[in-house]
Amino acid sequence: QVQLVESGGGLVQAGDSLRLSCAISGRTFSNDVMGWFRQAPGKEREFLAAIRWSGGSTTYADSAKGRFTVSRDNAKNTMYLQMNSLKPEDTAVYYCAIDDSFTKLSRSEARYWGQGTQVTVSS
């Protein structure tokens, strides 16, 4: 069984940067794809970015391009989301997930989800 644990959230001011981490417990496979998502109050879960575990190819939602960067460290079994120039609109619970398809992740579908970490951006 795979377990995912997000960390790194907190309260920051607009314009600040933050790096979220997603620690993976369990075996990963070459076809695994991991993704970052967020859910703001009153809104549906939103796909942000994904990365293939083997090779590191990435894809981004339009809302994440330019300010957010996804990466991973295979040796540490950890995925990261670097968030720059944060805005109050970025306030949400951020989740990581794993699946075997970019397409499924882009639709907020995944085999396993983390518990989420709160990011709050003040104006």
Side-chain angles (χ1 to χ4, degrees):
Q1 181 177 335
V2 175
Q3 291 184 325
L4 307 174
V5 180
E6 302 93 335
S7 62
L11 198 162
V12 298
Q13 295 183 337
D16 285 353
S17 297
L18 203 60
R19 189 177 76 161
L20 306 181
S21 298
C22 175
I24 303 100
S25 177
R27 184 179 177 183
T28 56
F29 299 90
S30 61
N31 63 337
D32 282 343
V33 184
M34 298 187 64
W36 284 102
F37 308 78
R38 67 185 180 189
Q39 188 165 19
K43 296 185 178 180
E44 295 184 341
R45 190 165 297 184
E46 175 189 13
F47 168 76
L48 296 173
I51 186 167
R52 191 173 299 281
W53 197 250
S54 178
S57 60
T58 60
T59 188
Y60 293 89
D62 289 340
S63 60
K65 292 180 180 177
R67 295 189 298 123
F68 295 179
T69 303
V70 63
S71 61
R72 89 276 189 265
D73 187 330
N74 299 63
K76 295 181 178 179
N77 284 339
T78 302
M79 178 179 65
Y80 305 95
L81 183 68
Q82 178 67 44
M83 304 187 293
N84 298 326
S85 301
L86 285 165
K87 305 174 181 179
E89 305 93 276
D90 296 319
T91 296
V93 177
Y94 284 70
Y95 300 88
C96 64
I98 187 168
D99 204 270
D100 61 357
S101 169
F102 277 119
T103 300
K104 286 191 287 185
L105 290 178
S106 71
R107 299 171 66 177
S108 297
E109 299 175 2
R111 293 191 64 193
Y112 297 99
W113 293 87
Q115 84 291 345
T117 184
Q118 177 71 47
V119 173
T120 302
V121 184
S122 63
S123 60

